[in-house]
Each structure stands twice: as structure tokens, then as C-alpha cells.
């Protein structure tokens, strides 16, 4: 490929197609016709020597080369926009798409407030929620595969705090929570104070984004020379709630996530018979976005949505 002769406008088209995964929606965002978008993709394909996207029933699917190329194109376009017009962003006039990586329970409790703010602002903003597969999203953000990550990331936050001002990523706490033991309402252990022996002897369900059957609880038990049997490992809080309501399995969840399972009325919570550190939900983002007004606006929306979420979580306690 001869970069000197490449039409850089083709990269803007590529960026929108990758964000929308649909040629019609990308054309609308770019104020172009769909044939014009298809033609631009063809020209870029010929220049790069890769198909880039494959048509599917619902839109297009990127090739591995396109997936590898997109973070670099997105970062370059963001830097260029910020350099040329650092103060110009009107959410009602400028379309923007943001990718947020978070667990299902975090999304269920944060997104209603976030969407409400976007609609109230009449913003031309689209959100893409990406599933978390790790407790450490630093690589995801560094590769520009997500714009923000929201969740409990103790190891990542500790590492960033240790790096100080030289860290490439920023983090900010949104809310605090605590872990509790969760079981079905008519579980044999639901009517009394849960002891450590009963907790260890029971069968357990573990929510693990990575699929590893070893979590914070197991680390805390190991420090006490104790173990538990994890019968089932899942990666969604909704699934955890559903299974626990129909079995004798115990699970450990952040207290404020129990309503997000959708089965709060069928579950009870009990204090854990061991000590676990608190849950600190944070938002992480890359410093490359700091100068871009669209990202600063989105970060403020996340902050305000988290504040409204905190207020909503406190209301039952006052009743």
C-alpha cells in the first residue's frame, strides 16, 4: 500500500462502519448514501489488500485485519479532531459513539440513568456496551477497544495508583458497596446467622468474568486455611440470581447488585462470616481522550448517572 496516495477520507468511512457494524447506519452518520459508503470500503479494501468487512444478515462483520486496524484509526481521528477543534462539541449537533465495558449488573443499574441523561439532553450519542471478561481492563483501554470501563478493578486501580501521574490510564471512584451472601428465601440457612463452618460446607455459585473458579472469597478463605466447593461458575449476575432462586447454592454478590439480578423478591442476603474488603466501583479511561471535548462530556454524564444511581440505592434504606 502506498500511504502517500491513500485518500484519508476512506478512514473516516471505515471508522463509522466499524462503530455501527451496519452500512446504512454508517451512511446516515456520515451524511452519505449507502452506495457511496460501499464504494469507499471497496477503495480502502483495494488499497489495504483485505476484505475488511463481510456482509451478514444484520449488517457487516469485521475481518481480523479490520479489528486490528480500527483502534489505531479511531485514536488517530480522535487526536486530529481534538487538535483541529478542541472546544467544539455540541451533543445535540455532533454525533458520537462511545464503547463502555461493564458487567451486566453494573449496566443494569447505571445505564437507565445514563440513557435518561442522554435523552434529556437530546444528544446524538450512541452507546455500545461491551462484556467484561476480566477484572483488569487496562489492555482493553490501551488498545482502544473500549472508551471507558466501569466496574470493580482492585488490581488495576492499585497498579495505576502506584504509577502515579505517569500512568497512561485515569480512574475515578463512582460508588462503594459491600459483599453479602445471597440465597433463596426458603434456603435451610436463611433463618439464622450464617457461621463460617456452614458457609464452607455449603455448595457455591461463583460469578467470574474470566471463568476461573477462584475469586476474592476463595482468597479470603485460603488466608483462614479454609476452602469451599464451587459447584457452578457463571459470568453474569442475572444468571447467578436465577440459579440461586432454584437451588441450594449460595453466592456472594455486591449488596446493591442483588436487585439487578431480577430476582430480589425471591432472594435473601446474609452478612458474610468472613471479612472481605469493600467493593469500589470505578470508571477507567485512557489519557489520550483527555483533550477531546466529546469524551470529557461523556465522562461527566457517567459521573452524574453514578450520582443518581447512588441516590436511588439509598431510597429503600430511608423507607
Amino acid at each position: 500500500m502506498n500511504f502517500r496516495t491513500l485518500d484519508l477520507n476512506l478512514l473516516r468511512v471505515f471508522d463509522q462502519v466499524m462503530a455501527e457494524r451496519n452500512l446504512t447506519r454508517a451512511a446516515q452518520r456520515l451524511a452519505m448514501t449507502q452506495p457511496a459508503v460501499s464504494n469507499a470500503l471497496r477503495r480502502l479494501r483495494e488499497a489495504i489488500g483485505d476484505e475488511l468487512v463481510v456482509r451478514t444478515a444484520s449488517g457487516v462483520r469485521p475481518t481480523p485485519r479490520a479489528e486490528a486496524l480500527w483502534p489505531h484509526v479511531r485514536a488517530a481521528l480522535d487526536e486530529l479532531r481534538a487538535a483541529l477543534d478542541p472546544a467544539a462539541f455540541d451533543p445535540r449537533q455532533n454525533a458520537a459513539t462511545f464503547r463502555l465495558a461493564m458487567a451486566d449488573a453494573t449496566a443494569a443499574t447505571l445505564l437507565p440513568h445514563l440513557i435518561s441523561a442522554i435523552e434529556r439532553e437530546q444528544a446524538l450519542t450512541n452507546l455500545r456496551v461491551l462484556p467484561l471478561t476480566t477484572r483488569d481492563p487496562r489492555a482493553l483501554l490501551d488498545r482502544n477497544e473500549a472508551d471507558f470501563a466501569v466496574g470493580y478493578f482492585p488490581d488495576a486501580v492499585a497498579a495505576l495508583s502506584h504509577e502515579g501521574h505517569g500512568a497512561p490510564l485515569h480512574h475515578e471512584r463512582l460508588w462503594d458497596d459491600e459483599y453479602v451472601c445471597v440465597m433463596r428465601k426458603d434456603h435451610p440457612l436463611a433463618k439464622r446467622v450464617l457461621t463460617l463452618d456452614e458457609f464452607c460446607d455449603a455448595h457455591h455459585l461463583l460469578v467470574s468474568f474470566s471463568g476461573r473458579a477462584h475469586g476474592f472469597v476463595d482468597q479470603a478463605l485460603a488466608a483462614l486455611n479454609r476452602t469451599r466447593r464451587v459447584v457452578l461458575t457463571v459470568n453474569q449476575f442475572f444468571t447467578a440470581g436465577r440459579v440461586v432462586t432454584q437451588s441450594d447454592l449460595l453466592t456472594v454478590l455486591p449488596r446493591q447488585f442483588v436487585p439487578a439480578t431480577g430476582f430480589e423478591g425471591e432472594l435473601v442476603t446474609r452478612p458474610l462470616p468472613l471479612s472481605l474488603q469493600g467493593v469500589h466501583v470505578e470508571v477507567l479511561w485512557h489519557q489520550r481522550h483527555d483533550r477531546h471535548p466529546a469524551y470529557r462530556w461523556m465522562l461527566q454524564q457517567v459521573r452524574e448517572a453514578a450520582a443518581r444511581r447512588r441516590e436511588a440505592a439509598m431510597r429503600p434504606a430511608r423507607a
Side-chain angles (χ1 to χ4, degrees):
M1 184 189 74
N2 189 342
F3 183 77
R4 290 179 299 174
T5 62
L6 179 66
D7 182 352
L8 298 184
N9 283 319
L10 303 180
L11 299 180
R12 292 181 59 246
V13 174
F14 171 72
D15 176 58
Q16 281 298 319
V17 170
M18 289 294 290
E20 298 293 341
R21 306 297 166 97
N22 183 282
L23 298 187
T24 300
R25 291 198 299 268
Q28 292 171 345
R29 293 295 181 193
L30 292 163
M32 297 171 62
T33 65
Q34 183 174 326
V37 169
S38 298
N39 182 58
L41 283 178
R42 177 188 59 77
R43 292 170 57 199
L44 187 60
R45 179 184 69 231
E46 292 172 352
I48 292 177
D50 186 275
E51 288 294 324
L52 295 177
V53 296
V54 178
R55 290 183 181 271
T56 67
S58 58
V60 294
R61 183 181 71 250
T63 65
R65 178 72 187 282
E67 292 281 12
L69 181 63
W70 188 34
H72 302 286
V73 171
R74 169 60 67 93
L77 290 174
D78 285 344
E79 288 289 334
L80 187 58
R81 276 190 290 261
L84 292 174
D85 203 355
F89 177 72
D90 182 347
R92 297 190 181 192
Q93 299 294 329
N94 305 125
T97 298
F98 299 98
R99 299 156 297 161
L100 288 74
M102 63 179 82
D104 64 315
T106 309
T109 58
L110 182 66
L111 286 180
H113 303 290
L114 197 51
I115 292 299
S116 176
I118 289 172
E119 292 185 337
R120 186 168 54 249
E121 290 260 353
Q122 298 180 357
L124 298 177
T125 299
N126 299 322
L127 302 181
R128 301 284 183 267
V129 177
L130 310 178
L132 274 175
T133 57
T134 175
R135 285 280 184 191
D136 188 347
R138 284 178 292 175
L140 192 69
L141 296 167
D142 190 58
R143 294 193 301 263
N144 203 31
E145 294 174 5
D147 301 310
F148 301 96
V150 181
Y152 179 42
F153 311 121
D155 293 340
V157 169
L160 293 173
S161 298
H162 180 73
E163 292 182 58
H165 293 298
L169 303 179
H170 301 310
H171 64 95
E172 183 177 313
R173 187 170 298 183
L174 296 177
W175 69 80
D176 297 318
D177 203 348
E178 63 176 347
Y179 281 115
V180 292
C181 184
V182 182
M183 65 190 78
R184 61 185 175 88
K185 290 179 67 173
D186 53 353
H187 192 285
L189 298 176
K191 302 299 183 183
R192 56 181 183 269
V193 176
L194 187 64
T195 68
L196 183 60
D197 286 339
E198 290 172 331
F199 182 82
C200 292
D201 290 341
H203 291 172
H204 291 258
L205 179 153
L206 170 66
V207 179
S208 170
F209 302 144
S210 66
R212 293 177 58 247
H214 189 85
F216 301 124
V217 173
D218 303 285
Q219 295 173 11
L221 288 174
L224 301 174
N225 294 318
R226 303 295 295 267
T227 61
R228 62 173 179 164
R229 181 185 171 193
V230 176
V231 175
L232 177 63
T233 302
V234 302
N235 65 356
Q236 291 185 328
F237 290 94
F238 172 83
T239 303
R242 178 70 173 178
V243 172
V244 168
T245 62
Q246 300 183 20
S247 70
D248 280 340
L249 299 183
L250 306 182
T251 192
V252 176
L253 302 178
R255 182 185 297 277
Q256 295 178 27
F257 279 2
V258 175
T261 65
F263 303 99
E264 182 181 19
E266 303 173 51
L267 299 169
V268 296
T269 63
R270 292 291 177 265
L272 286 168
L274 69 159
S275 178
L276 285 183
Q277 63 180 349
V279 182
H280 309 302
V281 177
E282 311 244 356
V283 55
L284 276 63
W285 70 97
H286 200 282
Q287 65 176 0
R288 71 169 72 93
H289 300 317
D290 286 349
R291 296 192 303 273
H292 198 297
Y295 287 90
R296 293 200 301 269
W297 176 84
M298 188 66 227
L299 178 59
Q300 185 59 31
Q301 304 313 303
V302 171
R303 291 176 178 134
E304 294 177 5
R308 289 190 291 271
R309 181 206 176 280
R310 291 195 303 270
E311 294 171 1
M314 292 173 61
R315 288 185 196 121
R318 298 194 191 108

